[in-house]
Amino acid sequence: METRMERRERDLPQPVRKPGEDEGPAKRDVKKPGGNDELLKRLRKVDPDRAKKYRQRSGE
Amino acid sequence: MKRLFGIETEYGLSMPDGNPRTQVNDSRRLVAACTVPHALGWDYSNEDPRADIRGFRATHLSQDPVDAAFDEGARPGGADERADRILVNGARFYNDHGHPEYATPECSRLLDLVAHDRAGERIALAAAKAVGATLYKNNSDYSGASYGTHENYLVPREMSYERMAAGLLPLLISRQLFVGAGKVGSEAGRPVEFQLSQRADFMTEVAGVDTLYRRPIFNTRDEPHADAARWIRLHVICGDANRSEWATAMKVGMVSVALDLIEIDEAPVWRFADPVRAFSDLSKDHEFCWKIALGRDSWTTGPDVLESYLAAAGKHLAGKDAETDWVLSEWNDALIDLRTDPTRLADRADWAAKRALLATYAEDVGKWETDAMRAAELEYHDIDPATSLFDVLVDMGRMRRLVEEARIGDCMATAPNTRAKHRGQVVAEQADRIEAIGWRRVVVGGKAVEFEVEGTQ
């Protein structure tokens, strides 16, 4: 599995970044995950009945 | 990318004391509260949702029987059922079957599309606040009702249905591994704790013109909104509503790449034994093997299918333009992460971000398929940054961003540099004089002017 991925990396060309308007989206630095306790506190504040009361018409 | 594309988002709508019977009028009221400069008078003269690119016209479109029962034979909303608003940024904001729908203006750059999709969230949110509503950018109510997030791609008419379907179906089925929005539980078929796709439970046909019921993976509606002799508007209805900007960009970027490959007859060839089942199986495979049956004794995997498109694109499309190179680079990185450890996608793929978020809560709640878990998931899709769990992840730096807030703000009032620019300009300068306006043309003072597809990108 790993071998295949290494081969794929070599097969692909390096992305060509052009200056100005033609530039593609840039990668952004993302902070390392953390704060699970903070997240859990936030999740516990969700109204547990919110989805039960949520009924919709079908759309397209 | 050298192609026009756009996204239509039908938002889930929650009003105090609202219900499916009041939803159409609630949605109309919300749209009417739009705060962005706009014009009225949507031009329906070029619309024909029954026209099929396979060369015929359907005698009727299927309707959801549950919704039909809500209406009890009456048509809710009356003459102005859709409450169409044509916005100064070239977008359309209207009521579609009880869902406020934001259709982005036509874009030709991925970042423009991402920014306009997010501008749509802001515009819809402002209208929602004006009427005390909550909007969800998702595709299901957990009780069997689904509503769509559609992509549109302008392709040359000479690209036949057979070529498009053969070249795109494997990708439309497999791309959920990157761009599925994730969902707690199942609303059809085999029960699961969590699945990759919001829409997989509702895809019951391989191809067809229907969108409200008996939904197909490949939608064959032939409504080009341009010169029908030259263009087809590929209408993709099997995708999810994405909160992640990366997923929005990749969802459209991957299909655009596949269309480029089809145009030069270099798309990979796959024949799935049962495409509908493959769509569901990929979505529900909690072991992440993602097997797809090809025949009685042969199979492939979703990652292998994605890799085949990437290999073909790397060979034939690399260097075409910067956005194509970006898509291929991200595709490669995401494929490596998917094969190595799918949880690594949690900083960009909605399904992986949501799964990681909810896994924390599942230990607390005790099991996945509970009202509390579905409620937490629903809050991920809330488009109000003050209450959305997606925005909590963004604020914590856990989700990648592609566009700045200032750019999103600009897109609320400015059209992209496509034919949408001319539509937006007419709305800005002559809104009161517009007699009819649509994707394709405007009528002012009895004179119709076409918005040309080419020459504005």
Side-chain angles (χ1 to χ4, degrees):
Chain A
M1 186 74 78
E2 285 299 314
T3 304
R4 292 182 68 182
M5 293 318 303
E6 286 167 12
R7 175 177 59 77
R8 166 63 37 237
E9 283 185 289
R10 284 196 299 273
D11 282 347
L12 280 173
Q14 289 300 309
V16 179
R17 302 282 178 201
K18 297 174 184 173
E21 278 193 293
D22 286 339
E23 208 162 282
K27 286 189 177 183
R28 295 174 64 89
D29 290 334
V30 176
K31 292 176 192 168
K32 296 291 181 190
N36 280 342
D37 289 346
E38 190 183 330
L39 265 183
L40 195 54
K41 282 181 193 168
R42 175 66 182 80
L43 283 160
R44 285 173 180 155
K45 289 181 182 172
V46 175
D47 172 7
D49 290 333
R50 193 172 187 178
K52 194 162 62 178
K53 292 183 280 193
Y54 182 64
R55 288 298 308 275
Q56 296 289 291
R57 297 175 69 97
S58 282
E60 292 201 82
Chain B
M1 303 183 105
K2 309 299 182 195
R3 184 180 305 285
L4 283 187
F5 35 60
I7 294 175
E8 314 158 32
T9 302
E10 296 171 23
Y11 286 98
L13 168 61
S14 179
M15 294 278 282
D17 303 320
N19 62 60
R21 285 189 171 81
T22 66
Q23 195 177 332
V24 170
N25 283 326
D26 290 342
S27 174
R28 289 175 63 236
R29 196 155 65 88
L30 185 151
V31 172
C34 176
T35 56
V36 172
H38 59 266
L40 307 178
W42 185 255
D43 182 1
Y44 286 92
S45 63
N46 285 310
E47 301 199 359
D48 184 3
R50 287 196 239 163
D52 194 303
I53 55 175
R54 292 171 292 186
F56 55 87
R57 190 168 184 275
T59 55
H60 69 283
L61 298 175
S62 302
Q63 190 184 2
D64 187 305
V66 177
D67 278 7
F70 287 145
D71 299 340
E72 296 170 339
R75 189 175 174 84
D80 188 29
E81 178 184 328
R82 297 208 162 195
D84 289 285
R85 264 63 180 160
I86 305 90
L87 310 188
V88 73
N89 66 356
R92 180 187 180 196
F93 188 42
Y94 66 113
N95 160 52
D96 196 5
H97 300 276
H99 298 272
E101 173 162 337
Y102 183 86
T104 68
E106 307 91 323
C107 298
S108 60
R109 296 174 191 276
L110 285 180
L111 278 190
D112 283 347
L113 182 60
V114 172
H116 275 279
D117 183 62
R118 299 228 58 188
E121 294 177 14
R122 304 286 196 276
I123 290 167
L125 177 62
K129 284 182 176 293
V131 298
T134 303
L135 291 180
Y136 300 101
K137 196 181 184 190
N138 68 348
N139 303 105
S140 156
D141 73 348
Y142 309 105
S143 300
S146 184
Y147 34 96
T149 304
H150 301 169
E151 303 139 57
N152 299 293
Y153 305 84
L154 200 67
V155 298
R157 176 66 63 176
E158 55 262 31
M159 193 190 288
S160 66
Y161 160 72
E162 288 78 10
R163 285 173 70 199
M164 274 199 294
L168 275 179
L169 266 171
L171 182 76
L172 294 178
I173 292 165
S174 305
R175 67 176 179 162
Q176 62 180 298
L177 273 54
F178 290 171
V179 300
K183 184 168 77 174
V184 172
S186 168
E187 291 168 90
R190 181 165 57 90
V192 288
E193 291 182 338
F194 183 84
Q195 58 178 311
L196 302 193
S197 165
Q198 291 255 310
R199 288 283 266 182
D201 287 339
F202 306 99
M203 295 295 126
T204 61
E205 314 293 324
V206 176
V209 75
D210 281 308
T211 55
L212 285 162
Y213 194 61
R214 300 179 61 224
R215 296 180 184 87
I217 300 168
F218 189 99
N219 185 233
T220 54
R221 181 186 292 182
D222 189 6
E223 236 180 10
H225 299 318
D227 182 354
R230 298 184 59 202
W231 303 104
I232 293 171
R233 175 179 60 111
L234 172 66
H235 188 230
V236 174
I237 71 164
C238 63
D240 286 355
N242 291 110
R243 298 299 325 272
S244 159
E245 294 174 355
W246 179 89
T248 297
M250 288 299 286
K251 174 170 67 180
V252 174
M254 293 169 81
V255 170
S256 290
V257 163
L259 288 169
D260 287 346
L261 289 172
I262 295 167
E263 282 186 25
I264 57 173
D265 291 323
E266 294 292 349
V269 177
W270 293 98
R271 289 193 191 283
F272 295 174
D274 184 342
V276 172
R277 180 169 179 176
F279 203 118
S280 177
D281 284 352
L282 289 187
S283 183
K284 290 183 170 179
D285 183 0
H286 66 280
E287 294 180 339
F288 296 164
C289 297
W290 293 312
K291 274 188 170 184
I292 300 170
L294 298 175
R296 183 182 294 269
D297 298 314
S298 61
W299 53 270
T300 184
T301 68
D304 281 347
V305 173
L306 293 175
E307 185 166 331
S308 70
Y309 280 90
L310 179 62
K315 184 175 178 184
H316 298 286
L317 302 177
K320 182 171 180 277
D321 57 68
E323 286 199 327
T324 297
D325 283 346
W326 180 84
V327 170
L328 300 187
S329 175
E330 292 296 323
W331 194 325
N332 182 57
D333 291 351
L335 196 51
I336 291 169
D337 287 342
L338 195 72
R339 288 193 189 276
T340 310
D341 176 4
T343 64
R344 289 187 187 174
L345 293 172
D347 66 351
R348 72 211 103 133
D350 281 306
W351 74 262
K354 185 191 288 181
R355 185 174 175 274
L357 172 74
L358 295 180
T360 309
Y361 197 33
E363 291 176 14
D364 206 45
V365 170
K367 62 177 187 174
W368 279 81
E369 284 199 84
T370 61
D371 289 331
M373 290 292 286
R374 282 185 279 265
E377 189 205 328
L378 189 59
E379 204 153 296
Y380 179 93
H381 294 278
D382 186 338
I383 62 167
D384 187 344
T387 47
S388 170
L389 283 170
F390 167 78
D391 286 279
V392 170
L393 296 180
V394 171
D395 292 345
M396 292 176 75
R398 292 191 177 196
M399 293 298 289
R400 285 175 57 181
R401 295 287 308 271
L402 299 183
V403 292
E404 304 288 342
E405 287 296 320
R407 184 169 185 174
I408 295 170
D410 288 345
C411 288
M412 293 173 67
T414 309
N417 191 24
T418 64
R419 70 178 182 178
K421 184 172 71 175
H422 303 300
R423 188 182 309 112
Q425 191 173 4
V426 174
V427 170
E429 296 172 359
Q430 306 187 65
D432 293 341
R433 297 184 61 226
I434 290 173
E435 292 153 31
I437 186 168
W439 297 116
R440 190 172 173 178
R441 64 173 197 154
V442 62
V443 181
V444 178
K447 184 183 174 188
V449 176
E450 292 273 329
F451 300 129
E452 298 295 337
V453 165
E454 292 165 316
T456 59
Q457 296 168 46

